[in-house]
Amino acid sequence: MTLSVPQRQGIIVYFRNMRQVRQLRRFGTVHYVSSRMHYAVLYVNQDQVNQTVNRLKKQRFVRRIQLSVQHELRAALVDGEKDPLVPVTFWPTGQRGRNQ
């Protein structure tokens, strides 16, 4: 017997008031809630994402919905491949801002 882990996807839901966080529990697993920025991160099964987003759009307290792209990112680098993320420098060397 093998254990199969269902594929999950994150949905970021922006809401109007903190009171509605409890109502979000019936749509998926609430992973994180920001009381200052009024958003919550839900995790739902990959095959139920479209249904859940459609149900969330009908709720009056939902302001905006974003889908997480974390599942599309590579988890590890392939052997022999260089790091695709190049360090970014915001200022030329020696300059740290406009007050020098």
Side-chain angles (χ1 to χ4, degrees):
M1 183 167 128
T2 62
L3 179 66
S4 64
V5 179
Q7 295 293 318
R8 310 270 287 168
Q9 182 171 355
I11 301 175
I12 297 110
V13 180
Y14 292 88
F15 47 86
R16 297 186 189 280
N17 199 338
M18 283 296 294
R19 285 188 227 166
Q20 287 91 15
V21 173
R22 286 185 291 187
Q23 295 179 16
L24 290 175
R25 290 186 199 157
R26 65 183 134 129
F27 296 103
T29 304
V30 178
H31 179 70
Y32 177 76
V33 177
S34 172
S35 60
R36 188 173 135 236
M37 307 241 341
H38 293 282
Y39 75 90
V41 178
L42 301 175
Y43 279 100
V44 295
N45 289 343
Q46 188 77 34
D47 57 345
Q48 298 175 349
V49 171
N50 292 332
Q51 297 170 351
T52 306
V53 169
N54 290 334
R55 286 177 47 206
L56 282 168
K57 284 181 181 178
K58 294 177 184 176
Q59 302 299 317
R60 298 183 86 190
F61 62 88
V62 174
R63 287 181 144 176
R64 186 172 65 181
I65 299 171
Q66 289 182 336
L67 295 177
S68 174
V69 294
Q70 184 178 10
H71 67 281
E72 298 172 2
L73 299 175
R74 290 187 300 172
L77 295 174
V78 180
D79 290 339
E81 188 175 332
K82 293 187 178 183
D83 190 4
L85 299 176
V86 179
V88 178
T89 56
F90 296 101
W91 294 286
T93 307
Q95 294 180 352
R96 294 290 178 194
R98 44 201 291 228
N99 296 333
Q100 282 211 13

